[in-house]
């Protein structure tokens, strides 16, 4: 069981918070008290609420916030979470997406937030892996890859991964930020570290660009291309009219092969969003590096992104 929260309202709308199994994740207004901060929301407490996930499910817990935490419109101190629930803290709304016990390979982008408020009783979403592919439970599952019948046309064949020769030498200096097998050797000016997630652009009352990373074991019998194809299929099913293009693959230090995608889509009544996702494999471990920004800001963010990627390494230590 795993969970992702997508911000549905405010300047951070479209941002994704992925919560690991066994983790208690705090959301609030101040970065020094919350693992994910929404500093522009003055009605949110410094540490407003926590979400906890274990093998029994995912739960919401209010952290004695001043204005309360609301689940589907009702004030809640502690409650079980179900797929499609809406959490409101201050003026910020999060949509809950929960992965089943046997999802396809994980994904760090959640579906478009269009769910309507529902009862707080536990609901189950049907899921089933595709024929001939049944990977084990991923340590960082994500609901965007729940198997659902799709009414959209299937994705076109994607090109095979680009093999990348391992770098003969590794940087001797310690990384500025390490997340699992990912090592950031460059943190650009005007960006801040989000522990366990990546880095985020420092802006005021605007949509901040983020560069996030995740990793997980590749399922038995699967290839990097299987993983990318599964993500592509779910992007087409869950995102609103996405435009998906194959991009040139950067050389990720220490990795064996990489594939890169560019995804553009629009939030409901919102601006176009741009994802650039780099999928890389190091042995049996898959790493995903994601740039998220507004499409209109991509050209200005691109030089910073390129500098970060040129100084990043993935050793697959999951």
């Amino acid at each position: 069981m795993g969970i992702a929260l997508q911000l549905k309202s405010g300047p951070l709308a479209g941002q994704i918070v992925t919560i690991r199994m066994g983790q208690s994740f705090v959301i609030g207004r101040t970065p020094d008290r919350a693992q994910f901060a929404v500093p522009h929301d003055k009605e949110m407490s410094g540490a407003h609420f926590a979400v906890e996930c274990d093998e029994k499910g995912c739960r919401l817990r209010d952290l004695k916030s001043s204005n309360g935490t609301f689940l589907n419109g009702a004030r809640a101190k502690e409650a079980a979470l179900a797929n499609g629930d809406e959490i409101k803290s201050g003026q910020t709304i999060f949509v809950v997406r929960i992965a089943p016990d046997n999802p396809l390979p994980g994904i760090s982008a959640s579906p478009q937030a269009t769910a309507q408020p529902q009862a707080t009783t536990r609901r189950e979403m049907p899921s089933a892996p595709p024929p001939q592919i049944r990977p084990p439970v991923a340590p960082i599952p994500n609901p965007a890859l729940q198997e659902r019948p799709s009414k959209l046309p299937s994705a076109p064949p994607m090109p095979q991964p680009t093999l990348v020769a391992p770098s003969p030498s590794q940087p001797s200096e310690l990384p500025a930020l390490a997340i699992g097998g990912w090592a950031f050797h460059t943190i650009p000016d005007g960006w801040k570290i989000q522990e366990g997630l990546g880095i985020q652009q420092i802006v005021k009352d605007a949509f901040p660009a983020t560069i996030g990373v995740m990793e997980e074991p590749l399922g038995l019998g699967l290839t990097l291309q299987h993983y990318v194809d599964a993500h592509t299929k779910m992007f087409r099913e869950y995102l609103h009219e996405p435009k998906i293009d194959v991009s040139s693959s950067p050389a990720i230090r220490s990795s064996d092969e990489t594939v890169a995608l560019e995804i553009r889509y629009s939030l409901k009544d919102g601006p176009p969003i741009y994802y650039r996702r780099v999928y890389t494999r190091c042995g049996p471990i898959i790493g995903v590096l994601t740039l998220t920004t507004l499409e209109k800001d991509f050209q200005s963010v691109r030089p910073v992104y390129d500098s970060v990627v040129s100084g990043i390494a993935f050793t697959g230590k999951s």
Side-chain angles (χ1 to χ4, degrees):
M1 185 72 65
I3 191 170
L5 304 179
Q6 182 178 31
L7 279 81
K8 184 179 179 181
S9 63
L12 300 182
Q15 291 279 54
I16 306 298
V17 182
T18 302
I19 300 172
R20 299 169 182 263
M21 170 73 75
Q23 184 180 21
S24 179
F25 198 91
V26 177
I27 293 176
R29 190 183 72 254
T30 57
D32 59 332
R33 298 182 62 193
Q35 291 159 286
F36 184 84
V38 188
H40 68 275
D41 191 337
K42 304 306 180 184
E43 295 186 23
M44 187 181 289
S45 296
H48 198 104
F49 70 92
V51 173
E52 303 167 348
C53 280
D54 57 27
E55 65 279 358
K56 297 180 181 179
C58 299
R59 298 189 65 80
L60 165 72
R61 182 163 55 88
D62 180 73
L63 299 178
K64 298 181 180 179
S65 61
S66 299
N67 295 317
T69 302
F70 295 81
L71 181 64
N72 300 324
R75 189 160 184 160
K77 292 185 177 180
E78 185 170 346
L81 293 173
N83 193 65
D85 282 346
E86 291 192 355
I87 302 170
K88 182 178 180 182
S89 59
Q91 293 299 310
T92 304
I93 297 176
F94 301 82
V95 178
V96 176
R97 305 293 183 186
I98 296 180
D101 289 336
N102 57 345
L104 289 172
I107 187 171
S108 64
S110 291
Q112 181 186 4
T114 57
Q116 297 300 316
Q118 302 179 30
T120 57
T121 56
R122 187 60 178 270
R123 296 170 293 282
E124 298 295 332
M125 297 295 291
S127 63
Q132 301 179 350
I133 301 179
R134 191 177 181 85
V137 177
I140 314 175
N142 191 290
L145 284 181
Q146 296 180 59
E147 187 65 15
R148 294 173 47 189
S150 175
K151 298 180 181 179
L152 299 177
S154 58
M158 304 296 285
Q160 292 302 311
T162 300
L163 297 180
V164 178
S167 173
S169 61
Q170 301 299 326
S172 57
E173 72 275 10
L174 291 175
L177 172 65
I179 301 175
W182 288 98
F184 288 74
H185 289 276
T186 300
I187 306 298
D189 293 338
W191 290 61
K192 64 181 179 180
I193 292 174
Q194 288 187 300
E195 292 295 339
L197 299 173
I199 60 176
Q200 183 180 77
Q201 185 183 29
I202 301 173
V203 293
K204 183 178 181 180
D205 297 329
F207 187 103
T210 61
I211 300 175
V213 294
M214 59 167 285
E215 64 184 78
E216 60 186 345
L218 185 61
L220 184 65
L222 298 180
T223 66
L224 176 62
Q225 193 60 51
H226 286 139
Y227 192 95
V228 175
D229 289 345
H231 280 214
T232 302
K233 175 183 176 183
M234 294 305 164
F235 278 135
R236 293 187 182 278
E237 181 174 354
Y238 283 105
L239 298 183
H240 178 62
E241 298 180 354
K243 180 181 179 182
I244 303 175
D245 297 304
V246 178
S247 180
S248 58
S249 301
I252 301 296
R253 192 176 295 145
S254 300
S255 67
D256 299 323
E257 55 180 336
T258 62
V259 171
L261 299 179
E262 293 182 319
I263 302 100
R264 297 171 173 85
Y265 79 100
S266 295
L267 295 168
K268 185 177 181 181
D269 301 323
I273 304 295
Y274 176 90
Y275 288 151
R276 179 173 171 83
R277 296 175 66 85
V278 177
Y279 300 86
T280 187
R281 180 182 64 82
C282 185
I285 306 299
I286 292 291
V288 183
L289 182 148
T290 304
L291 166 67
T292 305
T293 186
L294 295 181
E295 186 172 2
K296 69 180 182 64
D297 296 335
F298 172 61
Q299 291 304 323
S300 62
V301 171
R302 179 67 184 267
V304 175
Y305 167 80
D306 288 342
S307 71
V308 172
V309 172
S310 68
I312 204 166
F314 179 63
T315 56
K317 296 179 180 179
S318 179

